[in-house]
Amino acid sequence: MSIDTAKGILGDATIAELEAALRGTVVRPDDADYDRARAVWNGSHDKHPALIVRCAGTADVIRAVEFARSQDLLVAVRGGSHSIAGFSTCDDGIVIDLSCMKGAVVDPVRRRVVAQAGMTWGDLDHETQAFGLAVTGGLVSTTGISGFTLGGGVGWLLRRHGLASDNLTAAEVVTADGRVVRADAREHPELFWALRGGGGNFGVVTSLEYQLHPVGPQILGGLIVYPLEQARQVVTGWRDLIGGMPDELTTLVNLMTAPPLPFLPEEVHGTRVAVVLGMYAGDPAAGDAAVAPLRALGTPVADLMGPMPYTGMQSMIDPLWAAGAQNYFTSAFVEPSDAALDAVLRRHLTTPTPNSELHLHQLGGAFARMPADATAFSQRDAGVLCNVIARSPDATDFDSHIAWARSTREEIARHGRGAMYVNFTGDAAEDKVRASYPDAVHRRLVSVKDTYDPANVFRLNQNIRPSQAS
């Protein structure tokens, strides 16, 4: 069956020629598994691509990129499909699906891993924890490693070992003209710099090499739940503590509605709470003293902070973040002044659904010590990252929930420099992207874009527009 696209018609023979060149498979709109194949984690995005190419390896990615260029098709690249803004899919274009590419080779002596870009953090942690090693990964284990890393990568090892992107030592990239290049500190160093914080702007990353660190298998981590009436003292007390915390400890405060979980008292279910989460990435015995002040922020209704497997910490909140719900995230780097925290607490009282949340991520430590010009990721001197989440199991009135998130972000962002974390950006918003990179960094990113993707083939991302498209 021929397929109509925004650019014309793809005939059966053309598609068959592509399929014959692949080790993977092509999914067409009339295939039985098309609806499953086109679905992404964020239920807000219901797109209908002309083709989905399930790549079995780098050669398939090359063929898919060449095909997309030859047919002038819009390109979406999918790893774990967690893109909040829906960049993992598109209407009428081609989805280059990397999710079958899940190989990993761990070198425990050099403490390195080379991982294919279709892996999730659960996949990668499974491989590296066999050797007691890890790299900063996502807070939800079903998140794909590639998009997470290219945008920065905030996780439980951030203060001890930096962002995921800080630990990227090399990447294999298929460029817009179908070349395969290795980007590292010696080969294509400008591309390597841009990949660490500049997002998926510069090509299809097919494998990533990370520096690993001794972590686990047992760590000290978990959460402490405080009632709403103690939220102000918890948040301000947490703010006063974070400047003196050891680098081994990374924390966040989640202002949320308590779900009906068995470890919470029934009288708390459905009420607003302040949850302090944290992980100590060192000797668990030493961690007890480090987390003790978190237990003294108020009178907890539940304390689940203790020894656990690192993989347990990495997947602890997975049940709350299953695929299919409506999601909109936005974010702001802020300084946690009294006025900023007042704004956060006010907005917590107006969350539109029980699933909507505000997170305050602690920064500093190794994250802040990375030299400002070493990677494209900026805002190294920010105190806190605030993530604003609108989430609902269905689409009913979700536009109003998005409006709540945007207005919340705008109010909170007044207490920072206007920058946001590009991985927590629910819109393809050029002004927000521009505000998130200092002028010199943005100019350098545009230069890399001009070199590797001057036609902006890879534009489904928080886009760095090439000069000719400016």
Side-chain angles (χ1 to χ4, degrees):
M1 182 191 79
S2 298
I3 299 171
D4 290 318
T5 74
K7 302 291 186 179
I9 296 176
L10 295 177
D12 290 341
T14 303
I15 299 170
E17 185 178 354
L18 168 65
E19 196 163 29
L22 301 173
R23 190 160 57 92
T25 58
V26 174
V27 181
R28 302 166 174 81
D30 58 345
D31 289 343
D33 60 344
Y34 175 75
D35 282 338
R36 182 176 61 84
R38 71 181 180 86
V40 294
W41 177 82
N42 187 356
S44 295
H45 304 290
D46 184 23
K47 303 290 187 179
H48 292 79
L51 291 175
I52 301 165
V53 178
R54 288 174 167 160
C55 299
T58 300
D60 286 358
V61 176
I62 296 169
R63 299 286 87 78
V65 170
E66 291 174 341
F67 182 85
R69 293 295 302 273
S70 70
Q71 302 298 319
D72 197 18
L73 292 173
L74 182 63
V75 175
V77 182
R78 175 184 303 168
S81 84
H82 272 240
S83 169
I84 301 302
F87 297 137
S88 304
T89 187
C90 60
D91 282 325
D92 296 328
I94 184 170
V95 173
I96 300 177
D97 186 349
L98 310 177
S99 62
C100 296
M101 297 171 55
K102 291 184 177 290
V105 178
V106 179
D107 182 340
V109 176
R110 295 175 60 237
R111 294 179 180 168
R112 296 285 180 92
V113 61
V114 178
Q116 287 187 301
M119 297 190 88
T120 65
W121 283 106
D123 298 329
L124 188 58
D125 288 338
H126 176 80
E127 298 297 330
T128 61
Q129 278 293 281
F131 303 94
L133 299 170
V135 65
T136 307
L139 303 186
V140 176
S141 72
T142 57
T143 305
I145 66 171
S146 186
F148 176 90
T149 300
L150 299 178
V154 172
W156 293 121
L157 294 173
L158 174 144
R159 288 173 40 77
R160 176 66 166 163
H161 298 300
L163 298 166
S165 57
D166 296 342
N167 292 279
L168 186 69
T169 55
E172 180 184 82
V173 185
V174 177
T175 62
D177 58 2
R179 289 181 298 144
V180 179
V181 302
R182 175 184 169 87
D184 61 20
R186 292 178 298 179
E187 301 180 62
H188 300 273
E190 279 296 283
L191 175 60
F192 179 58
W193 170 85
L195 292 173
R196 297 195 292 168
N201 272 282
F202 312 103
V204 183
V205 173
T206 52
S207 70
L208 306 97
E209 180 183 275
Y210 297 100
Q211 180 70 54
L212 299 174
H213 307 277
V215 176
Q218 289 289 115
I219 53 86
L220 187 141
L223 55 87
I224 305 166
V225 182
Y226 292 96
L228 175 64
E229 57 267 25
Q230 297 176 26
R232 182 173 297 277
Q233 73 184 64
V234 168
V235 170
T236 56
W238 171 82
R239 182 269 316 276
D240 295 341
L241 288 173
I242 57 178
M245 286 182 184
D247 289 354
E248 289 85 355
L249 181 59
T250 297
T251 65
L252 70 83
V253 174
N254 183 356
L255 298 172
M256 65 180 298
T257 299
L261 297 174
F263 58 80
L264 293 175
E266 285 192 17
E267 61 269 22
V268 176
H269 295 177
T271 68
R272 289 186 169 90
V273 292
V275 182
V276 180
L277 299 95
M279 191 187 91
Y280 185 84
D283 181 355
D288 283 329
V291 303
L294 300 176
R295 293 187 161 109
L297 292 171
T299 304
V301 297
D303 182 346
L304 282 85
M305 186 76 71
M308 67 171 66
Y310 174 71
T311 54
M313 187 70 188
Q314 286 290 89
S315 59
M316 180 175 61
I317 62 174
D318 284 6
L320 301 178
W321 296 96
Q326 307 283 306
N327 289 273
Y328 179 86
F329 289 18
T330 186
S331 61
F333 289 97
V334 299
E335 294 310 311
S337 63
D338 287 345
L341 296 181
D342 284 346
V344 172
L345 289 163
R346 281 196 305 272
R347 286 296 182 154
H348 174 45
L349 298 177
T350 66
T351 49
T353 72
N355 313 95
S356 299
E357 303 176 356
L358 292 97
H359 300 168
L360 295 170
H361 294 256
Q362 180 188 9
L363 302 175
F367 165 86
R369 288 193 296 273
M370 176 66 72
D373 61 352
T375 75
F377 194 95
S378 305
Q379 319 307 322
R380 296 285 180 173
D381 58 348
V384 166
L385 170 62
C386 181
N387 186 24
V388 183
I389 298 172
R391 180 173 166 89
S392 176
D394 61 63
T396 303
D397 205 27
F398 197 66
D399 285 347
S400 69
H401 305 337
I402 292 173
W404 167 84
R406 288 173 176 162
S407 63
T408 297
R409 189 262 172 196
E410 292 308 312
E411 180 176 347
I412 293 168
R414 297 186 191 120
H415 305 282
R417 301 172 188 167
M420 62 171 57
Y421 174 36
V422 294
N423 279 353
F424 287 174
T425 305
D427 301 295
E430 187 172 344
D431 60 328
K432 299 296 190 296
V433 175
R434 186 64 191 83
S436 296
Y437 296 106
D439 288 345
V441 172
H442 189 265
R443 285 194 299 270
R444 194 172 170 187
L445 287 169
V446 171
S447 177
V448 178
K449 184 74 168 179
D450 287 345
T451 300
Y452 292 94
D453 185 21
N456 209 12
V457 172
F458 303 111
R459 57 186 179 273
L460 287 183
N461 42 53
Q462 299 301 343
N463 196 227
I464 303 296
R465 298 178 69 193
S467 298
Q468 68 181 39
S470 297

